[in-house]
Amino acid sequence: MLNKQRHIYTKEQIRSYEGEAAKQCGIDLFTLMQRAGEAVYKQWQSFNAKLTLIIAGNGNNAGDAYIAARLIKDSGAEVKVCAIDPAKTLSGDAAKAKQLWLDTGGIVNEFAKSDLDCCDCVIDGLLGTGLNSPVRENYCEIITAINQSEKPVLSIDVPSGIDANTGEVLGAAIQATKTLTFIAIKQGLSTGTGKQHAGELILDELAIEDTFSQLASPCAHLINIDSFKRLGSRAVNSHKGNHGKLLCVGGNQGTAGAIRLSSEAALRAGAGMVKVYTHQSSIMPISIGRAELMVMSENLEQALEWASCVVLGPGLGQDEWAKKTFCTVMHYCQEHNTPLVLDADALNLLAENASAYTLAQCVLTPHPGEAARLISKNTSEIESNRFESVRLCAKRYNATCILKGAGSLIDNGKSTWVCENGNAALAVGGSGDVLTGIIGALLAQGLSIDEAARYGVTLHARAGEVAAEEQGQRGMLPSDLIQIVRSLIN
């Protein structure tokens, strides 16, 4: 079902293969640096700055910055270059780029906070992809000053202070307006904190992309709503049974809303029939206003026999009713290889009973806190390396795991996908319940576990974007997503 996707690489892969790719394209690394500087200059033009402040470090990012500075100066705009250590002698191509700047009459200054008062934008060439330890104090002071100035920032390759592999903030990091990254997208810029600090992420492949992609194998794949082919048209003589029978299980006393959101989202995402097994006290709240749902609080085994796939967890709770319900569903799905989507308290109960079940045909949908419980880590450890965390979770449970958040990750233990769509409008209680229902509906309609997970995450994320475009991010209700998902899936 995947139509097209872009690739993600580690910083080590880019460092290992960029030189060979350039060589095979008939250019040297300094020419590559010149192309990078020219790309920075082109992006700088969108800021319409009269006075630009460039902050240069000591590595190749500084070389890119010096080339951009020369081009900005040649354009007639005013530019001031400050270095972390103006007197330091650089090496290699960065030294050559700095000398070209000096040869044009350029000056390298020592940074002062007052430099930020009169500039219109900042170009961040302070730290690059080589950073792998906490940022030193003198760098932290500059980074903090830039962030506090609230001036627009164009970061070169990565926002200074971000680990290019994990996206972790190494003590302090630039909050960029735009990040211009080169050759290929670094995995740490695609998810979590790294995605936040990158701002608008722009890729310039420096005209060596084809050769580079032949040398390096991607570590992950970017997907968005345009990555997927449309679902096929339904046959004229099809009936409700052709489009799947989904059982949604959850909704303990006082939490009926969660399973109602999942089940209604499943209907709107195209499931042929949806049954809800819930706590007896939740029957009426779920049924009111949605007559299409079949709601029950008895005969769970019979409902499981009816279902072609199952959603378990939204509003489930962790009391005795929840634990009994959880065990019944898990044992049945394990014995009959029934496709299963686990969310919310089902994930917490699974974490407590990890050795009791051998999962197959299963999608896990944890947020970072739930993922932490599933693989016995804390939430900060999960967020410090989301790629590693989602892979551990997928492997430990032999499942396809979705690690929710900015740049949601989908991992089946062998491959990783990163969703480009989505925004902060989705950061509201109940949003995950809608996602779970969408994935269940896609499974009911015959998509594979991986397809349902990837497409479900992307539909849900794109729906959040549409809702925010129409009425803003604040105040979006998860139920607002449901009609948008229907439009997108059609």
Side-chain angles (χ1 to χ4, degrees):
M1 163 170 202
L2 276 176
N3 186 22
K4 57 183 178 179
Q5 52 191 337
R6 294 190 295 158
H7 303 308
I8 299 174
Y9 297 85
T10 65
K11 62 184 180 183
E12 290 82 8
Q13 288 177 303
I14 294 169
R15 193 176 300 125
S16 296
Y17 294 111
E18 64 179 350
E20 180 60 26
K23 182 179 178 181
Q24 290 188 23
C25 291
I27 61 173
D28 58 19
L29 285 175
F30 185 68
T31 301
L32 210 60
M33 181 176 283
Q34 287 178 307
R35 290 181 181 180
E38 290 165 3
V40 173
Y41 170 70
K42 289 176 183 176
Q43 288 300 323
W44 163 84
Q45 291 174 318
S46 67
F47 287 83
N48 296 315
K50 293 180 180 178
L51 172 57
T52 300
L53 177 64
I54 296 182
I55 311 292
N58 297 322
N60 282 340
N61 268 30
D64 303 337
Y66 285 118
I67 290 169
R70 182 165 49 86
L71 294 170
I72 294 170
K73 183 173 181 287
D74 289 346
S75 76
E78 191 175 354
V79 58
K80 182 172 186 178
V81 176
C82 295
I84 189 71
D85 185 356
K88 184 177 178 64
T89 300
L90 304 186
S91 61
D93 292 331
K96 191 183 298 186
K98 181 178 180 180
Q99 189 59 50
L100 286 174
W101 165 247
L102 295 173
D103 290 346
T104 65
I107 299 170
V108 181
N109 302 276
E110 188 170 358
F111 173 78
K113 287 184 181 180
S114 58
D115 293 326
L116 292 163
D117 295 336
C118 49
C119 73
D120 300 306
C121 75
V122 178
I123 293 178
D124 160 34
L126 197 57
L127 295 164
T129 61
L131 183 68
N132 56 16
S133 60
V135 175
R136 295 198 297 271
E137 185 176 353
N138 55 338
Y139 286 84
C140 282
E141 290 175 357
I142 295 174
I143 289 169
T144 300
I146 292 171
N147 288 343
Q148 289 177 346
S149 76
E150 298 185 349
K151 295 295 174 74
V153 178
L154 172 60
S155 283
I156 299 175
D157 215 11
V158 296
S160 292
I162 290 292
D163 186 306
N165 277 348
T166 66
E168 183 181 10
V169 174
L170 296 176
I174 290 288
Q175 177 57 62
T177 308
K178 291 183 179 182
T179 297
L180 175 62
T181 199
F182 303 124
I183 301 174
I185 293 174
K186 288 77 182 169
Q187 66 173 22
L189 302 182
S190 64
T191 190
T193 307
K195 183 178 177 71
Q196 165 65 36
H197 278 264
E200 181 186 352
L201 182 62
I202 302 156
L203 171 65
D204 193 304
E205 296 160 316
L206 305 183
I208 65 167
E209 63 272 19
D210 292 340
T211 305
F212 178 83
S213 65
Q214 291 170 9
L215 295 169
S217 299
C219 62
H221 312 279
L222 281 171
I223 54 175
N224 57 43
I225 197 67
D226 296 323
S227 302
F228 297 89
K229 299 175 183 176
R230 292 183 60 186
L231 296 178
S233 300
R234 291 182 167 180
V236 174
N237 65 340
S238 66
H239 57 82
K240 60 186 180 183
N242 296 137
H243 308 305
K245 301 173 182 178
L246 177 64
L247 175 63
C248 296
V249 180
N252 206 330
Q253 188 170 5
T255 54
I259 202 66
R260 165 65 185 267
L261 284 169
S262 295
S263 53
E264 185 167 350
L267 283 173
R268 292 297 190 183
M273 291 184 281
V274 179
K275 277 186 181 181
V276 180
Y277 177 85
T278 191
H279 192 276
Q280 194 277 331
S281 65
S282 297
I283 291 178
M284 187 172 292
I286 294 169
S287 301
I288 291 174
R290 187 49 65 216
E292 296 87 348
L293 293 171
M294 299 173 279
V295 189
M296 56 193 295
S297 62
E298 298 177 347
N299 302 319
L300 178 55
E301 287 275 1
Q302 184 177 337
L304 287 164
E305 291 171 4
W306 168 87
S308 56
C309 54
V310 178
V311 161
L312 173 63
L316 183 65
Q318 298 186 55
D319 62 7
E320 286 306 309
W321 176 85
K323 291 176 181 177
K324 181 179 178 181
T325 300
F326 174 81
C327 289
T328 300
V329 173
M330 292 296 290
H331 282 301
Y332 181 91
C333 291
Q334 181 172 287
E335 290 172 8
H336 295 84
N337 200 30
T338 305
L340 178 65
V341 186
L342 296 182
D343 186 25
D345 278 318
L347 297 171
N348 296 324
L349 291 171
L350 177 64
E352 294 175 6
N353 301 275
S355 61
Y357 303 102
T358 303
L359 302 180
Q361 293 273 76
C362 184
V363 180
L364 309 179
T365 65
H367 58 56
E370 292 160 343
R373 290 185 280 276
L374 285 167
I375 58 176
S376 303
K377 291 181 178 287
N378 60 49
T379 303
S380 62
E381 289 174 317
I382 297 294
E383 289 290 75
S384 69
N385 194 334
R386 286 169 58 83
F387 283 90
E388 179 183 74
S389 299
V390 73
R391 176 59 57 88
L392 283 173
C393 192
K395 284 190 168 182
R396 178 170 295 186
Y397 294 95
N398 189 34
T400 294
C401 182
I402 297 165
L403 180 56
K404 295 183 287 195
S408 290
L409 305 180
I410 305 100
D411 193 289
N412 62 8
K414 297 178 182 178
S415 298
T416 309
W417 297 268
V418 186
C419 180
E420 292 185 277
N421 294 116
N423 57 33
L426 297 169
V428 60
S431 175
D433 302 318
V434 172
L435 170 62
T436 300
I438 294 167
I439 296 170
L442 295 173
L443 287 173
Q445 292 169 84
L447 273 67
S448 71
I449 289 287
D450 285 350
E451 288 174 334
R454 292 190 300 249
Y455 192 34
V457 166
T458 309
L459 280 169
H460 178 260
R462 178 57 188 150
E465 291 178 340
V466 173
E469 287 163 7
E470 292 177 351
Q471 292 187 308
Q473 292 185 3
R474 286 183 173 84
M476 188 207 75
L477 300 180
S479 55
D480 296 339
L481 300 170
I482 294 174
Q483 283 287 1
I484 301 171
V485 168
R486 183 188 177 196
S487 298
L488 289 171
I489 207 168
N490 280 294

